[in-house]
Amino acid sequence: MQVIEETRRLQERADRVRGEGRTIGLVPTMGALHEGHLSLVDAARSKADEVWVTIFVNPTQFGPDEDLDRYPRPRDADLRLCRARGVDLVFAPDASFYAGGHETWVDVADLTRPLCGAGRPGHFRGVTTVVTKLFLAAKPHVAVFGEKDFQQLAALRRMARDLNFDVEVVGAPIVREPDGVALSSRNLLLRSDARAQAPALVRSLDVAERLVRDGMRSREEILARVRAELARADLGCVEYAELREPEGLAPAPDLLSGPTLLALAVHFPASAGEGATVRLIDNRVLYATNPSQETPR
Ligand code: PAF
């Protein structure tokens, strides 16, 4: 497994691989790798000849009060995990990736305003800008992102489409801990009593899925039941629980019809830092199919 730190060298390597007619599958990450990231590696492997992972804790997607300093950076363990999973190349630039002052931004407008965008101004602009830089550095054919960050995936798909990137943006399913909590590097930062309450998110998704399966279509009634389930985790502070249309993320209609995204963000106490919290997100697409939309048997 090759490890490259300079953008120019990565671009040369990408040109060579492309010149040989081989395809590149890219998995952009901020490190602290877990089984969720490794499932993205597997997905990239099924779509491309070479799998490249990028590891860069991108400062431009963290707000001033967010956990940039606390964000885990276990570089050696990350490289070991990549090697063991058969990754061909790791791109791990240092802070000079944004060298010389940075003035150019890529901003996907409306899609990034609600949900996480409302509470984290500038976050998605940081993500879309760094992913643009990574696409231009690694020149991938395919790039894989997790569906846990549903809004990020939607924004990156839209960016690739709007800017004519010749990159297939692929989503990979959420990977969960045995108790249902979605895998995230941030789970490690939770206070232990908060970690015990974190399954409230997946329980709320299950409740909503059951209600919709049993025929409930009222957006407000479903959200009321979701909020009641989340409230059972008394250490959690809900940032949002929303039903939205999955592609453009417009608010869902009063009566659901067709696929609808249920997206959640909840803050729990962190194990370190007086008053610090860890923000967990989760989501599920609910299939509110009306009788007229059902496939005839
Ligand atoms: O999902 C992440 O880990 C990050 O947002 C990404 C896509 C690697 C950009 O820094």
Side-chain angles (χ1 to χ4, degrees):
M1 184 181 81
Q2 191 176 5
V3 180
I4 291 185
E5 292 174 359
E6 299 87 36
T7 306
R8 190 67 225 137
R9 275 191 61 211
L10 187 72
Q11 287 168 324
E12 284 163 8
R13 173 77 203 266
D15 288 341
R16 256 201 320 279
V17 170
R18 281 181 160 261
E20 289 161 6
R22 293 166 62 71
T23 53
I24 300 165
L26 193 71
V27 180
T29 80
M30 296 205 301
L33 302 181
H34 50 63
E35 202 47 44
H37 296 109
L38 299 175
S39 75
L40 308 183
V41 167
D42 297 343
R45 165 79 53 216
S46 73
K47 294 229 155 220
D49 298 321
E50 294 207 6
V51 179
W52 296 6
V53 170
T54 71
I55 299 178
F56 180 62
V57 181
N58 170 34
T60 67
Q61 69 188 77
F62 288 79
D65 301 326
E66 290 186 353
D67 54 356
L68 176 61
D69 295 339
R70 281 185 293 140
Y71 204 85
R73 292 166 171 83
R75 183 185 155 101
D76 292 347
D78 284 347
L79 294 180
R80 267 198 305 280
L81 286 171
C82 286
R83 199 169 285 116
R85 204 65 162 225
V87 169
D88 298 283
L89 182 149
V90 171
F91 177 54
D94 62 18
S96 66
F97 194 47
Y98 273 105
H102 190 81
E103 282 202 67
T104 307
W105 298 98
V106 176
D107 190 15
V108 177
D110 292 347
L111 252 174
T112 63
R113 301 294 175 253
L115 301 176
C116 293
R120 305 183 74 189
H123 166 71
F124 285 113
R125 189 182 82 149
V127 170
T128 43
T129 301
V130 82
V131 171
T132 297
K133 284 168 72 63
L134 293 169
F135 281 2
L136 294 171
K139 310 186 186 186
H141 298 79
V142 177
V144 186
F145 300 88
E147 287 173 355
K148 181 171 79 67
D149 296 296
F150 194 96
Q151 188 175 16
Q152 167 173 285
L153 176 61
L156 291 170
R157 281 201 167 113
R158 189 55 184 260
M159 176 189 93
R161 196 192 82 181
D162 289 354
L163 298 184
N164 303 109
F165 274 110
D166 193 12
V167 179
E168 184 192 356
V169 174
V170 172
I174 298 175
V175 180
R176 296 182 180 279
E177 309 250 17
D179 65 358
V181 173
L183 284 186
S184 163
S185 314
R186 291 195 164 94
N187 294 348
L188 297 171
L189 305 176
L190 287 165
R191 215 168 69 191
S192 61
D193 52 351
R195 174 63 190 79
Q197 293 194 354
L201 279 87
V202 70
R203 272 201 319 268
S204 308
L205 299 176
D206 291 343
V207 164
E209 190 169 67
R210 265 197 308 276
L211 290 170
V212 169
R213 198 183 306 132
D214 293 347
M216 187 180 280
R217 294 290 178 268
S218 159
R219 185 188 63 204
E220 287 316 311
E221 280 185 54
I222 295 166
L223 286 177
R225 297 283 291 275
V226 164
R227 290 197 187 101
E229 190 60 42
L230 287 174
R232 291 175 57 199
D234 55 4
L235 293 173
C237 176
V238 178
E239 180 182 318
Y240 64 74
E242 292 192 34
L243 286 162
R244 294 207 162 237
E245 172 278 302
E247 215 166 280
L249 302 184
D254 293 347
L255 288 181
L256 306 192
S257 73
T260 306
L261 173 73
L262 173 58
L264 309 175
V266 181
H267 293 252
F268 285 99
S271 58
E274 187 61 33
T277 62
V278 179
R279 186 172 173 282
L280 299 186
I281 57 173
D282 207 340
N283 71 78
R284 190 168 296 167
V285 176
L286 309 173
Y287 290 91
T289 313
N290 292 326
S292 61
Q293 297 170 298
E294 275 170 16
T295 323
R297 287 164 205 233

